[in-house]
Amino acid sequence: MEQIKKSKTLAEEAFEILQDAIINHKLQFNVLYSATELGQMLGGISRTPVREAAQMLEKIGIVRIERNRGIRILPTSFATMIESFQIRLMLEVPLISRVAEVRTKEDLNQLNQIFEVFKNKAMSEDVTGTLKSDRDYHLALLQIAGNRKAIDVISNCRNQVLIAGSATIPHSRSCIETFEDHLELHQSVIDGDSKGAAIFMKNHIINTATLLIEQESSRRDNWSNNCKDGLFDWI
C-alpha cells in the first residue's frame, strides 16, 4: 500500500531556511536576533515555529538560545571544526566501504551521472556549482549505504565546516583539483573495492581538512596552525 508522504512543518521549513542563511552568512555571528525579528525575515511567520527551529539549530551547535534575550548565531571554533572532520572520518570511512560492497547497477548509473555533472562544473570553474556537486556526490554515496541517521550527522558536520568561514575553493585549490581529489574514490566504488574505497575516503577527508584548517588558521590569530602534526593519528 502506498504511504502518505509527510509534509514539512512550518518549524522544519524555518529550520532549513535559517540554516541556509547562516551557512551563507546572511545572518551575522554573535548578533542577538529575536524570534519576532527572524519571523519577519521568514515572511511574517509567528514566533512559535521560529523558536522550535532555533531549538533544532541549537541541538547541532549552530545557535545559542539566550532566555529572554534572543537567538545568537555561533561561529564555528577550531575545536568544533576538528571534531566535525573526526566524526566524518569515523562515519564516512566505514560507510563508503559498505557502499562499495552493496552498490547496484542502478546505483552506479545514478552515481556516474552525478559525477559527470561534478566534472562539468569543475571544468567550467563554476565555484558554486562545484561546491554543490561535491555535496551532492557525497550525499549520493551515503544514500547507497542507507543509514539515515548517519547521513544527518554527516550533513550537520559539513554545515559546521561551511559555517566556519569558507570552502577550500577557490582559496586553497581549484575546482578541477577538488573534482580530481574524488577520482580514486569514485573508481574504487565502481570496481567494488571496499578496502580501497575506505582508504581513498580517509585520504580525501584528511586532505580537505588540512587545506581548510591551514587556510583558516592564516586568517585567525586564535586558531592552531598544527593540523598536520598528529591531528588524525588516532584514526
Side-chain angles (χ1 to χ4, degrees):
M1 179 182 295
E2 185 176 351
Q3 296 183 342
I4 296 174
K5 294 181 180 179
K6 180 181 177 293
S7 60
K8 293 179 183 177
T9 65
L10 199 56
E12 288 170 337
E13 290 186 12
F15 164 79
E16 291 183 358
I17 294 171
L18 289 173
Q19 181 177 240
D20 184 68
I22 294 168
I23 290 172
N24 291 292
H25 308 292
K26 294 177 181 177
L27 295 174
Q28 298 179 28
F29 293 140
N30 291 319
V31 173
L32 277 172
Y33 293 94
S34 69
T36 300
E37 183 181 6
L38 291 174
Q40 291 173 345
M41 293 179 183
L42 291 168
I45 67 173
S46 66
R47 290 179 296 176
T48 299
V50 174
R51 286 171 176 165
E52 291 175 358
Q55 289 171 351
M56 297 179 201
L57 291 167
E58 188 175 46
K59 284 182 180 179
I60 60 177
I62 293 177
V63 307
R64 180 173 66 240
I65 299 173
E66 299 183 11
R67 190 174 180 181
N68 299 324
R69 297 191 67 195
I71 301 160
R72 190 183 299 276
I73 313 299
L74 301 176
T76 300
S77 65
F78 176 79
T80 299
M81 179 180 278
I82 295 298
E83 289 171 358
S84 294
F85 279 113
Q86 289 174 341
I87 290 170
R88 287 190 60 191
L89 283 167
M90 286 188 284
L91 293 180
E92 280 191 84
V93 172
L95 281 175
I96 196 64
S97 180
R98 174 67 175 164
V99 167
E101 293 174 351
V102 304
R103 85 287 184 276
T104 64
K105 184 177 180 180
E106 183 180 351
D107 290 330
L108 293 180
N109 288 337
Q110 183 177 8
L111 198 61
N112 280 328
Q113 290 176 17
I114 295 171
F115 201 60
E116 188 66 22
V117 172
F118 191 179
K119 177 182 178 180
N120 292 336
K121 294 294 183 182
M123 291 184 68
S124 63
E125 290 296 320
D126 179 351
V127 173
T128 301
T130 301
L131 288 170
K132 183 179 182 300
S133 295
D134 186 347
R135 181 197 65 194
D136 290 347
Y137 179 70
H138 278 266
L139 180 59
L141 287 171
L142 293 171
Q143 285 176 335
I144 295 173
N147 190 319
R148 184 68 254 175
K149 288 186 179 296
I151 292 173
D152 289 341
V153 171
I154 293 168
S155 294
N156 288 335
C157 288
R158 290 176 69 92
N159 288 340
Q160 284 281 6
V161 171
L162 288 173
I163 291 167
S166 57
T168 57
I169 309 171
H171 310 286
S172 298
R173 56 182 172 183
S174 66
C175 292
I176 196 65
E177 286 172 333
T178 300
F179 169 75
E180 289 175 346
D181 199 34
H182 295 77
L183 286 172
E184 292 176 315
L185 169 63
H186 183 69
Q187 190 60 52
S188 64
V189 173
I190 298 297
D191 295 339
D193 179 4
S194 60
K195 290 183 179 179
I199 291 171
F200 294 130
M201 177 63 85
K202 178 181 177 181
N203 292 344
H204 167 64
I205 293 173
I206 291 177
N207 184 43
T208 300
T210 301
L211 289 172
L212 185 56
I213 294 169
E214 288 186 338
Q215 172 184 299
E216 293 304 307
S217 294
S218 67
R219 299 176 177 180
R220 311 189 194 193
D221 294 336
N222 61 331
W223 275 43
S224 171
N225 201 14
N226 300 316
C227 59
K228 283 184 177 179
D229 301 327
L231 178 60
F232 300 109
D233 288 348
W234 58 277
I235 293 295

